[in-house]
Amino acid sequence: MERIIKERSTQVHTIGTSAHDLDCEKKSLAGSVSQRACVFCGSRVVLYPIADALHLIHGPIGCAAYTWDIRGALSSGPQLHRLSFSTDLRERDVVFGGEPKLYTALTELIEAYKPKAAFVYSTCIVGVIGDDVEAVCRKVAAEQKIDVLPVMAEGFKGTKKDGYKAACDALSKLVGTDNNFQAPPFSINILGDFNLAGELWMLKEYYEKIGVNIITCLTGDGRIDEIRQAHKASINVVQCSGSMMHLAKEMEEKYDIPFIKVSYFGIEDMADALYEVAGFFKNEEMLQKAKELVSEEIKTLLPALEPFKEKLQGKKAAIYVGGAFKAISLVKALRLIGMKTVMVGSQTGNKDDYNLLQKLCDKETIIVDDSNPNELSEFVKEKGVDLFIGGVKERPIAYKLGIGFCDHNHERKEALAGFEGMLNFANEVYASVTSPVWKFFKR
Amino acid sequence: MLLNHTTSKIVERKALTVNPAKTCQPIGAMYAALGIHGCLPHSHGSQGCCSYHRSTLTRHYKEPVMAATSSFTEGACVFGGQSNLLQAITNIFTIYEPDIIAVHSTCLSETIGDDLSQIVGKAASEGQIPEGKHVIQAPTPSYVGSHVTGYANMVEGIVKYFAKKSDELKNQLNILSGWVEPSDMRELKRMLKLMKVKNVLLPDTSDVLDSPMTGKFEMYPKGGTTIPEMVSMGDSLHTIALGEWATEKAAITLDNQCKVKFSMTDLPIGIQATDRFIQAIAKAGSVSVPESINDERGRLVDVITDMHQYLYGKRVALWGDPDQLIPLAEFLVDMDMKPVYIVSGTPGKNFNKRMEEILGESVPEAKYKNGANADMLLMHQWIKENPVDLLIGNTYGKYISRDENIPFVRMGFPIIDRIGHSYFPTLGYMGGLRILEKILSALMDKQDATCPEESFELVM
């Protein structure tokens, strides 16, 4: 690896070759072509799927334009979240303050769209010019008689991860506000699924089949009224732990609701998720149903995976995704279809995640935190990778290097969660890795 | 879908943009900088801006888009971003080895008062810029203008830094290409070649954002305007600047700095605007128009003749950037269509004047608006009041297209749900032919799909 930045050497680790622990949760170096985004982005992607809320972005137009319908978080009902609302701050507002504009915009919007609640995102510039967003939200909330929740997400205040926290802070103001609701037995909340490609709907079906009730999902296909009732659940089942752990912990403290961390990617993790929930309720019948469901699904899934596995056996994969927990599932899912992970990394992983990855992956696997295109392409070449799993900015790099690609981020078109998702995943990986297009040039 | 959320009743909005028909300055600066060879754009602000701009450009071009960021944190906001930028310059030259770093600011760095030229000056005086390497800069506060303004500011920054006047006049023209696709840049070069006019095209994203598949990842692909070319712009005969919003600033700077006079002309979209472009080139380059160019024009006119009955009176809604919308509206009028609704989020007072000239007599019912509150909600509301037959604009029109069942031709930025824009030009007569083909196909596909059985025709 020739051109790795010296300061970054502690954030790259090859299993079995060096003793040091992987450094992570560091700020990106100035001047790096980082694949990371900002605090605002973190809060926006988490809250965006709440479909009957108003999402108003207080800042210059760009922040709203780039997050307009940013990922395919589907809704089974209202589509208010798919519109882009902005105060579109201009120079005048920056000089004289944007509060009057925010007040007017919020008022006009609430009157026009009658949302169930409103989220107001403050951006970099708002933090600097010192608008009192919280005060404006309080005022409008009192006048309009709806919840207006400030999301303090100034871009520079940290990394995308801090945006997740800002989102959780806003959500926690809603949770627990409907006490009249009586939850049915065996009620859970799903935390950290965003219903990309309709994945939540598949998960719901599994849970319903084993007799588990879902009060709400935070935030896929989300609804304000359901979020208000979330504190009545018996347990929080957290998938994207990077984003929703703050809320899970807070609900544990405040409402005594325990949480478990699960993953829905790959057969093993999907099955474990169902077993763990059944185990939590200590319900034999539920566990039995879960086992039946899993064996039923596997009975059709394993033979269906076989032809893919035959073709993909021994192929090598590189993974670079947002959250490290997802990477862990992906390593296992790839193994199931015969593929070996030779590089794995994330933008926001923590020590625990990376330790788990070290245990899980084979010797010589490169583990990397907060990487950049130079490193990624060097690693890919060095390891002779056949498949890259990543997001929007990694896709064209992988293709230019002449290797297959699978999007495991915003641009996912196929549901990859659950048993069905595993088959979709195998299909997508197969289609990309074995595409005839790769024969037209030398790699 | 969005139908539920848009009412036809237009309420006067005081402080609100819904579904913008624009975005912010830095992305324009980033795009312009990518059209210089060996250049790494650098975003001076939080990581998010850089990340969003790279994602959006990547989605539009389906190509790797490289750019670095100053990675602002709270510390930078309190103490200023100077140390971040200085560290960034050192890191970038060491690790990514570009020839040029093109720094643009963001709303954040502008507001905390970072002075880019002072910081870059400091980097130079302290020896942080290696011999033969360059750092250029442009102020691009996101709360002023739009993405087009950012593009204009960076192109201005480029010529300000590079263009030099020497004693030797060069027999060449400067072409400031405006914010167009790599395919359009390629088409401009093709037309100029046919006219046998030597030129420097700035910027030039062809072979950068439409690079061929080789199995290699090139941080700096082979395309882009080179340093010697940019330096030589100060010695050119004349500058042809395409599109007032995107290029006028740079043209004026070239004139002030190197005494190279310029002609402002519209982007060559459609017949008349291309005529004006060709004439401007012929005049400035002292050449005559070759027959091959006249033939291209003749073919475009021929196809319009063949199909004019399908175009007559069709009502069209357009949105996008002023430099595109003005000649496009003119082209539509020339094809006997009616561009009835036009919005652009990009401010600029000439917009109304130009639209009035083009539409005043031929489409008196036309509504057009730019700047504040000229957004896709307004467009949708106009359409709900009185529908149109065709939509032309960027990807974001697909919501309206689906809700109102209106055929839709994608043109502009961004287009993230179709391909073709970066490979097939819309400029020049050949580009006009492509626009025409797309319009006809969209209209006829709809007719075929929806007309009653008894009026379903084979020959159209």
Side-chain angles (χ1 to χ4, degrees), chain B residues 345-415:
Chain B
T346 298
K349 55 182 183 315
N350 268 354
F351 186 79
N352 281 340
K353 197 179 126 231
R354 294 294 312 273
M355 285 301 173
E356 171 61 29
E357 282 164 15
I358 293 165
L359 304 170
E361 270 177 42
S362 47
V363 195
E365 70 271 37
K367 294 181 183 183
Y368 40 86
K369 189 175 165 94
N370 75 319
N373 300 348
D375 52 26
M376 298 299 286
L377 174 67
L378 178 70
M379 170 67 78
H380 199 171
Q381 288 178 319
W382 280 344
I383 291 170
K384 276 180 174 294
E385 279 184 338
N386 192 359
V388 293
D389 303 298
L390 181 69
L391 306 171
I392 304 180
N394 68 15
T395 283
Y396 291 110
K398 73 189 293 179
Y399 303 111
I400 301 178
S401 169
R402 182 180 165 92
D403 283 353
E404 310 293 344
N405 193 20
I406 303 170
F408 174 27
V409 169
R410 283 161 180 80
M411 240 182 110
F413 177 86
I415 297 171

Side-chain angles (χ1 to χ4, degrees), chain A residues 102-103 106-107 110 116-118 120 133-150 228:
Chain A
L102 174 61
Y103 173 80
L106 250 180
T107 307
I110 292 169
K116 287 278 186 180
V120 178
V133 173
E134 281 168 333
V136 176
C137 288
R138 269 199 306 275
K139 186 172 174 205
V140 176
E143 286 173 8
Q144 302 284 337
K145 314 251 170 330
I146 73 163
D147 278 310
V148 182
L149 304 151
R228 294 183 192 284

Side-chain angles (χ1 to χ4, degrees), chain B residues 199-362:
Chain B
N199 65 91
V200 175
L201 184 72
L202 179 80
D204 180 4
T205 55
S206 65
D207 284 322
V208 178
L209 290 167
D210 59 353
S211 67
M213 180 71 196
T214 58
K216 286 196 192 79
F217 162 61
E218 305 278 356
M219 189 93 179
Y220 309 103
K222 65 181 174 187
T225 318
T226 63
I227 293 173
E229 283 175 328
M230 292 186 291
V231 172
S232 79
M233 290 177 84
D235 293 328
S236 295
L237 298 171
H238 194 79
T239 299
I240 308 276
L242 304 180
E244 171 186 340
W245 270 260
T247 63
E248 192 178 32
K249 267 187 185 166
I252 292 173
T253 299
L254 262 173
D255 192 354
N256 291 340
Q257 193 166 297
C258 307
K259 302 282 166 278
V260 182
K261 295 273 169 247
F262 69 93
S263 314
M264 260 334 296
T265 173
D266 289 321
L267 280 173
I269 293 174
I271 302 167
Q272 293 197 67
T274 306
D275 289 351
R276 292 195 293 269
F277 168 72
I278 297 288
Q279 285 309 321
I281 299 284
K283 191 173 164 223
S286 310
V287 293
S288 54
V289 180
E291 186 156 346
S292 54
I293 294 258
N294 284 330
D295 287 350
E296 286 179 13
R297 183 183 195 273
R299 278 195 288 273
L300 173 57
V301 177
D302 185 63
V303 178
I304 299 173
T305 317
D306 293 341
M307 306 310 279
H308 71 275
Q309 54 171 325
Y310 292 100
L311 302 166
Y312 162 73
K314 289 284 188 296
R315 291 163 54 84
V316 193
L318 319 174
W319 61 95
D321 301 343
D323 288 338
Q324 273 86 6
L325 292 174
I326 289 165
L328 180 61
E330 183 187 45
F331 185 36
L332 294 174
V333 170
D334 285 341
M335 293 194 294
D336 218 0
M337 302 177 84
K338 289 181 182 299
V340 283
Y341 306 134
I342 307 169
V343 299
S344 175
T346 298
K349 55 182 183 315
N350 268 354
F351 186 79
N352 281 340
K353 197 179 126 231
R354 294 294 312 273
M355 285 301 173
E356 171 61 29
E357 282 164 15
I358 293 165
L359 304 170
E361 270 177 42
S362 47

Side-chain angles (χ1 to χ4, degrees), chain A residues 5-12 21-30 32 34 36-37 158-162 346-351 354 369-371, chain B residues 47 71 73 87:
Chain A
I5 308 179
K6 204 169 28 148
E7 287 88 334
R8 283 200 29 80
S9 58
T10 55
Q11 280 168 279
V12 181
D21 269 349
L22 192 76
D23 237 352
C24 55
E25 298 187 273
K26 281 173 72 166
K27 308 250 185 295
S28 296
L29 212 56
S32 56
S34 169
R36 274 179 178 170
T159 65
K160 196 169 168 184
K161 243 182 164 173
D162 300 287
S346 84
Q347 293 173 33
T348 57
N350 60 32
K351 279 240 146 57
Y354 288 123
D369 178 62
D370 183 25
S371 199
Chain B
Q47 285 184 350
S71 302
T73 56
Q87 192 197 2

Side-chain angles (χ1 to χ4, degrees), chain A residues 272-380:
Chain A
D272 281 348
L274 296 175
Y275 296 154
E276 279 192 44
V277 171
F280 168 81
F281 286 115
K282 297 191 178 61
N283 183 300
E284 255 325 297
E285 193 192 336
M286 192 185 284
L287 190 63
Q288 199 47 44
K289 278 188 190 161
K291 281 180 179 160
E292 276 164 29
L293 186 149
V294 172
S295 75
E296 202 55 36
E297 293 283 347
I298 290 181
K299 220 186 286 169
T300 52
L301 180 59
L302 286 182
L305 288 177
E306 216 33 60
F308 297 115
K309 193 173 172 177
E310 255 169 52
K311 300 274 186 195
L312 294 170
Q313 196 67 45
K315 301 265 187 210
K316 292 183 238 171
I319 302 168
Y320 188 71
V321 286
F325 207 64
K326 186 159 70 185
I328 294 165
S329 295
L330 283 168
V331 172
K332 293 192 235 174
L334 285 164
R335 224 168 243 171
L336 190 68
I337 51 174
M339 292 183 70
K340 196 176 154 181
T341 304
V342 291
M343 189 217 98
V344 54
S346 84
Q347 293 173 33
T348 57
N350 60 32
K351 279 240 146 57
D352 290 352
D353 299 329
Y354 288 123
N355 284 340
L356 242 170
L357 274 173
Q358 289 205 35
K359 276 191 207 126
L360 183 66
C361 295
D362 299 327
K363 251 191 161 180
E364 314 251 299
T365 303
I366 298 172
I367 303 188
V368 56
D369 178 62
D370 183 25
S371 199
N372 59 59
N374 261 20
E375 284 178 14
L376 294 176
S377 77
E378 293 273 341
F379 294 145
V380 162

